[in-house]
Amino acid sequence: MATRIEEDDDDVPALSAQTLAALREFIAEQREKEGTVEEGEVALVTEDWRLSQFWYDRNTAETLVEEIRFLSDCSQPPSPSVACISCPTLYAYLKKIEPDIPAQILEFDKRFGQYGEDYIFYDYNLPEELPLALKHSFKIIVADPPYLSKECLEKVTKTISFLAKPQDSHLLLLTGEVQKERALELLNARPCGFRPQHSNKLGNEFLLYTNYNPQGRLGGWEPTL
């Protein structure tokens, strides 16, 4: 971010020296934070809260990668492709830990175009406006709808149906507890005992749902009442 003050415009208020110093200190601190990565962590672009972006913490991302590895190992070679819908944290960790597992990131934020051919622009409001080559081509899909509305989940459901292989596909859905009934109704997905966490804590209860029984993994399915 650059701050520019036009000195020759008398109508533009000038910042005081103290305010400018504080602003420069804040910018420096933010840049330092963005460039600091703990050992084993993956560097990501800064969250844009206007796009409802909240990155998973390291444990959550690695747990999801471990489950994808298990599902991949249970499949006949070659490794099945993974679709990461609006979950760039997972994609980044997956490519770091398991680079041989093919994956695509479907994301609205074009900053993730840095991932080259793996990046597919995705707008959940246009759920099936995707390359035809992706249709019914993914055996493993991980989706994190950006909003907790019924409309958003319904549209992401259309995307999942577009991408998923007609038979024997595995879905991991990360969304709020408020979507529990809709997740079951739309995707036959049930909550697991494992609780995803974010680097910046969210106020809403966040759950991981699957459309398959993970047995003892991911804390298993929660018992139904």
Side-chain angles (χ1 to χ4, degrees):
M1 179 177 69
T3 301
R4 183 181 179 186
I5 299 175
E6 298 292 345
E7 295 179 352
D8 58 349
D9 190 343
D10 294 335
D11 294 330
V12 178
L15 298 177
S16 68
Q18 184 178 2
T19 301
L20 279 172
L23 177 60
R24 291 192 184 102
E25 182 179 357
F26 172 77
I27 293 172
E29 287 177 355
Q30 291 300 110
R31 288 175 176 168
E32 183 177 353
K33 287 180 181 178
E34 291 173 11
T36 302
V37 180
E38 298 289 337
E39 183 178 356
E41 289 186 343
V42 171
L44 290 167
V45 299
T46 306
E47 296 165 328
D48 187 341
W49 293 351
R50 295 170 301 177
L51 299 178
S52 189
Q53 290 179 339
F54 303 93
W55 305 153
Y56 309 142
D57 68 10
R58 178 179 173 181
N59 179 63
T60 296
E62 290 181 345
T63 298
L64 294 172
V65 170
E66 184 177 346
E67 179 65 9
I68 290 172
R69 181 196 298 126
F70 177 86
L71 296 174
S72 180
D73 289 345
C74 291
S75 301
Q76 296 292 329
S79 296
S81 296
V82 180
C84 301
I85 305 174
S86 301
C87 46
T89 321
L90 171 62
Y91 171 85
Y93 272 86
L94 179 62
K95 299 311 290 184
K96 175 181 174 63
I97 300 171
E98 296 290 342
D100 292 333
I101 295 179
Q104 304 251 212
I105 173 174
L106 287 77
E107 171 62 48
F108 184 83
D109 189 343
K110 292 184 178 180
R111 291 181 296 172
F112 293 101
Q114 64 181 291
Y115 295 123
E117 293 182 356
D118 282 355
Y119 170 75
I120 304 293
F121 175 76
Y122 172 66
D123 182 349
Y124 84 89
N125 289 298
L126 305 170
E128 296 181 331
E129 288 201 10
L130 295 166
L132 191 58
L134 301 183
K135 189 170 185 177
H136 298 161
S137 61
F138 293 93
K139 190 172 182 179
I140 303 172
I141 298 175
V142 187
D144 187 343
Y147 302 103
L148 297 179
S149 65
K150 176 183 178 182
E151 175 225 16
C152 183
L153 185 58
E154 288 175 341
K155 289 180 176 178
V156 171
T157 295
K158 291 182 179 180
T159 302
I160 293 169
S161 297
F162 179 91
L163 297 173
K165 285 183 176 293
Q167 297 179 344
D168 197 29
S169 61
H170 298 88
L171 169 67
L172 293 90
L173 174 70
L174 296 102
T175 189
E177 192 273 339
V178 297
Q179 299 279 41
K180 185 183 291 186
E181 292 184 4
R182 295 184 191 124
L184 181 62
E185 175 187 350
L186 295 171
L187 295 161
N188 195 32
R190 302 181 183 183
C192 298
F194 175 74
R195 289 293 185 266
Q197 301 294 328
H198 296 79
S199 298
N200 291 303
K201 305 302 181 184
L202 297 185
N204 299 307
E205 182 73 13
F206 207 71
L207 302 181
L208 168 63
Y209 304 78
T210 62
N211 69 342
Y212 62 94
N213 189 342
Q215 305 297 332
R217 306 181 312 279
L218 304 175
W221 268 344
E222 288 189 344
T224 55
L225 300 178

